[in-house]
Amino acid sequence: MTSPNFGDGLTYPNDLNNKQTIQVEEGKAIKIHFTHWDVEHSPGGECDYVTITEGDGTTLANIRPDDRGFSLKDIPDFLVSKTDT
């Protein structure tokens, strides 16, 4: 999955609040791997961030870059869900 405008040389829209749901067969897990990461940093990571929520409502990842040095290398290679959603 990608954010809007990814790959066309444009930036994603201001004030974007995008929710995408991934669901797999019951009993299976979801493996997430980021291949690109290019967002603005913000104090406290309040502006541009990604939150990944499990099907049961728990948070799998809350990625909030709050300094200029944050990059793809700061995200785990793989995030694996505990639920099928």
Side-chain angles (χ1 to χ4, degrees):
M1 79 170 106
T2 61
S3 62
N5 296 339
F6 177 78
D8 63 7
L10 302 174
T11 59
Y12 50 85
N14 285 332
D15 301 318
L16 176 67
N17 185 1
N18 191 24
K19 178 180 179 180
Q20 297 184 36
T21 301
I22 301 170
Q23 186 164 13
V24 296
E25 184 180 325
E26 188 174 341
K28 302 282 184 178
I30 301 162
K31 186 177 189 180
I32 298 169
H33 172 70
F34 285 84
T35 59
H36 294 81
W37 181 268
D38 185 15
V39 300
E40 295 177 89
H41 78 283
S42 63
E46 294 300 318
C47 294
D48 294 347
Y49 59 90
V50 172
T51 300
I52 302 171
T53 307
E54 296 272 5
D56 64 5
T58 60
T59 300
L60 176 62
N62 193 11
I63 305 167
R64 294 178 173 266
D66 61 357
D67 67 65
R68 293 184 193 279
F70 188 94
S71 68
L72 187 62
K73 68 177 175 43
D74 297 305
I75 301 171
D77 285 338
F78 294 100
L79 299 164
V80 180
S81 70
K82 295 172 186 63
T83 68
D84 59 13
T85 305

